[in-house]
Amino acid sequence: MRQRAVWSGERSTFLALLVIVGVLAALPMARLALEGVAPGGRLDLATLGGVLGAPQTWIAARHTIVTGIFGTLISLALGVPAAIVLALTDIRGKPALVFAFMLPLLIPPQIIATAWIELFGPASPILRPLGLAPRLGAPHPLYGPGGVSLLLGIEHAPLVFLALNAGLRAVPRELIEAAQASGAGFWRSLRSIVLPLARAPLVAGASLAFVSSIGNFGTPALLGIPGGYGVLTTLIYQKLAGFGPTVLAEVADLSLLLAVIAVIGLALHGWVGGRGSQAMSLGAPARLLALGIWRPALEAACWVILLVIVLLPLAALLATSLVPAYGVPLRAATATFENYRYILFENAAAARAAINSVFLAGAAALILPALALPLGLFIAWRRSPLMRLAGALADLPYALPGVVLAIACILLLIRRLPLLGLSLYNTIWIILIAYLARFLTLALRPVTAGYRQLDRAMEEAAQMAGAGFLRRLRQILAPLLAPAAVAGAILVFLTALNELTLSILLWSSGNETLGVVVFSLEQGGDNLSAAALAVLAIVATILLMLLAGRLARRLPRGALPWQV
């Protein structure tokens, strides 16, 4: 009887978790699909036909695909060499290089776009003294498809790096050593052995970069809208801001179109990555290639590239935040902290946004690891089709573009909740629910990786002794997995703190987030205040990354994206 009660408690916990994951992930998507074909609950394809027949829809879709493809190619051009150098060579300073390379992924896209706007604008504090800035009144060189694609590529290159780096580290040493013993040089071994074996993670990285690019809002909004270059995410934003009797059905149809493009990208990943893929044995990892006399030159090249794509834009953003007026050159006599004083003490929206963002990010960082601890156990240890379904559902809101989830949450929560009689629309709680759905997988991955590296003997012994599931989880597993859960919490907090794609569609007066305020200030022409707030957000991001790095020794490999 005791053993039956133990198993009954475990099943009840799993069913409750499955319901929670279903409500967070599946229910909003189902509501979105229903609205797309049956606006107001009645089957009516007229709105869908109107959206699909509108020229602006296909112009935005074409722009979305074009910038997604070119952004992915740039991500590959940056991420593949970075993974090869950092995974297979004895280059020095790897932790610092990886940390710097990861910054464009972890700093919000609207802040990255703002930094590049300041770097290449006519008042550039770096290019203007050198006579390289565009003249006043000239079109900004980054406004348009080229600038959007470039920044999407830089922002998502770390995704390619992460996927390929893991694949390269898994290539058995024996294969490379056998090829080298047969006279093959490094480049031939790389071309003939290493990259074919790592094709699946390479394609996975490219697929992630593509899906992230087409779902990005901040970069196309700040660089595309001023240049008259719209994509699906900005078209959805503009339509939702315009209101109208059929606006919800229209944005639902546009969101479904964006989701279809994303699913096609993911399906191509599965097809290309699966064709001819080969399983790698669990041999020793490849020995690092000694660069010899070429090492200093390669190290210098790596830092120069990072200087151009990461450090210079951030330096331009910092310099802009320190001048008293736009266009004034930064010197010792002109430097001022007035913009920071204004943001910290006078701008009411920035103060509210800071409180709201800390609350939302903190709440998500507390709730999601608590869900991830039991859910990760089922996914890692209790393998079954139903548990694989739970893992897939948890990944769904993160795999699809954030705009799709935001519209789905609006459609689901715009009406009053049954029984409670409350509407969460136009409140801060709709943003929190969207964050919980979107970032669940960030909390789940480190915990699941921790379970797979954990010895199950203690938990099994407690189970045989009759300890209930929640007691085993609380007294045995939670203490062992605390570092992984904390790492997941930090990742959630870090990502949610400056999030824009969800909150730009879900915020209401008094419920602004930091991402929304930075975007609004930059779009409204207040470059100095936007730069000051963006610098503060970057400082917070770097401090959180350093704090998480202190846990690196106690975490499973890969729990932190910048952990090498």
Side-chain angles (χ1 to χ4, degrees):
M1 291 291 293
R2 274 181 83 185
Q3 198 65 25
R4 184 179 301 172
V6 169
W7 285 107
S8 176
E10 185 170 317
R11 285 195 296 269
S12 300
T13 303
F14 173 72
L15 290 176
L17 288 170
L18 188 61
V19 170
I20 292 173
V21 173
V23 169
L24 288 175
L27 190 58
M29 298 305 169
R31 180 66 184 88
L32 177 68
L34 178 63
E35 185 68 21
V37 297
R42 299 179 59 183
L43 182 63
D44 183 2
L45 300 181
T47 302
L48 177 61
V51 169
L52 295 181
Q56 64 174 347
T57 298
W58 296 108
I59 292 173
R62 184 173 70 250
H63 291 172
T64 299
I65 295 171
V66 167
T67 53
I69 290 174
F70 280 100
T72 301
L73 292 175
I74 294 171
S75 295
L76 289 169
L78 293 172
V80 171
I84 292 171
V85 169
L86 293 170
L88 299 181
T89 73
D90 63 345
I91 193 171
R92 293 168 296 188
K94 288 184 181 181
L97 287 168
V98 173
F99 189 91
F101 192 74
M102 290 300 302
L103 282 176
L105 179 65
L106 297 170
I107 294 175
Q110 70 272 15
I111 291 180
I112 295 293
T114 301
W116 280 79
I117 289 171
E118 299 305 329
L119 176 62
F120 284 99
S124 171
I126 293 177
L127 299 183
R128 188 179 179 188
L130 301 175
L132 300 176
R135 59 179 175 81
L136 292 174
H140 197 291
L142 293 180
Y143 288 166
V148 173
S149 299
L150 174 64
L151 264 64
L152 290 177
I154 292 173
E155 290 164 7
H156 302 125
L159 295 174
V160 176
F161 164 79
L162 290 173
L164 185 57
N165 180 65
L168 293 176
R169 290 181 180 275
V171 174
R173 175 187 300 177
E174 294 80 2
L175 291 177
I176 298 179
E177 290 178 344
Q180 291 175 340
S182 301
F186 171 73
W187 294 111
R188 185 176 179 185
S189 300
L190 181 69
R191 184 177 64 253
S192 303
I193 296 175
V194 176
L195 288 180
L197 287 175
R199 184 177 68 177
L202 175 60
V203 175
S207 174
L208 286 173
F210 176 78
V211 173
S212 299
S213 293
I214 66 172
N216 190 299
F217 171 78
T219 299
L222 288 175
L223 298 181
I225 291 177
Y229 191 83
V231 296
L232 284 174
T233 54
T234 57
L235 179 59
I236 290 170
Y237 167 73
Q238 291 169 326
K239 278 191 171 292
L240 197 62
F243 300 104
T246 62
V247 66
L248 286 179
E250 290 176 3
V251 296
D253 292 329
L254 290 171
S255 299
L256 289 173
L257 177 59
L258 185 61
V260 168
I261 296 173
V263 169
I264 291 173
L266 293 172
L268 286 175
H269 151 230
W271 179 68
V272 176
R275 292 185 63 208
S277 61
Q278 302 178 39
M280 288 182 279
S281 63
L282 298 177
R287 181 182 290 118
L288 297 179
L289 172 71
L291 295 172
I293 62 173
W294 296 103
R295 187 165 69 175
L298 187 57
E299 290 170 349
C302 290
W303 282 112
V304 167
I305 293 172
L306 288 173
L307 174 69
V308 172
I309 67 173
V310 179
L311 301 181
L312 277 181
L314 297 184
L317 188 68
L318 175 61
T320 301
S321 72
L322 294 173
V323 296
Y326 192 67
V328 175
L330 178 63
R331 301 190 183 97
T334 60
T336 177
F337 289 101
E338 177 62 24
N339 301 313
Y340 291 95
R341 189 192 66 78
Y342 170 71
I343 283 294
L344 291 173
F345 302 111
E346 292 188 13
N347 190 302
R352 286 195 307 268
I355 295 172
N356 291 337
S357 290
V358 170
F359 166 72
L360 291 166
L366 289 174
I367 295 171
L368 293 178
L371 291 175
L373 277 172
L375 185 59
L377 182 147
F378 292 114
I379 294 173
W381 286 356
R382 311 286 194 260
R383 299 178 180 176
S384 73
L386 195 59
M387 292 166 189
R388 286 195 295 271
L389 173 63
L393 285 177
D395 288 338
L396 180 64
Y398 197 76
L400 292 176
V403 168
V404 176
L405 176 62
I407 297 301
C409 288
I410 290 174
L411 292 169
L412 184 66
L413 300 174
I414 195 170
R415 294 196 175 108
R416 295 183 181 274
L417 296 176
L419 302 178
L420 298 178
L422 299 174
S423 174
L424 300 184
Y425 184 65
N426 276 341
T427 71
I428 199 170
W429 304 110
I430 190 174
I431 303 177
L432 178 59
I433 290 173
Y435 281 10
L436 295 179
R438 178 76 167 170
F439 303 131
L440 173 58
T441 189
L442 295 182
L444 187 60
R445 287 174 184 173
V447 171
T448 305
Y451 273 115
R452 286 172 177 152
Q453 297 184 19
L454 200 63
D455 187 354
R456 299 178 56 183
M458 293 178 62
E459 193 263 347
E460 290 174 343
Q463 183 177 353
M464 295 302 296
F469 176 73
L470 294 180
R471 185 179 179 184
R472 300 196 311 270
L473 187 69
R474 183 178 66 253
Q475 296 183 355
I476 298 175
L477 298 175
L480 294 173
L481 290 163
V486 171
I490 292 176
L491 284 175
V492 170
F493 189 91
L494 189 65
T495 309
L497 185 64
N498 297 300
E499 193 280 333
L500 176 66
T501 304
L502 295 173
S503 51
I504 194 65
L505 297 178
L506 300 177
W507 75 280
S508 54
S509 179
N511 298 316
E512 304 94 335
T513 63
L514 284 172
V516 170
V517 173
V518 171
F519 174 78
S520 300
L521 289 171
E522 180 66 29
Q523 194 178 48
D526 192 353
N527 303 65
L528 305 184
S529 299
L533 185 56
V535 169
L536 293 174
I538 292 170
V539 171
T541 299
I542 293 175
L543 290 177
L544 286 169
M545 290 173 66
L546 293 173
L547 175 63
R550 297 291 298 270
L551 300 170
R553 295 180 181 178
R554 302 182 60 188
L555 298 177
R557 178 175 291 277
L560 296 177
W562 57 93
Q563 180 184 354
V564 295

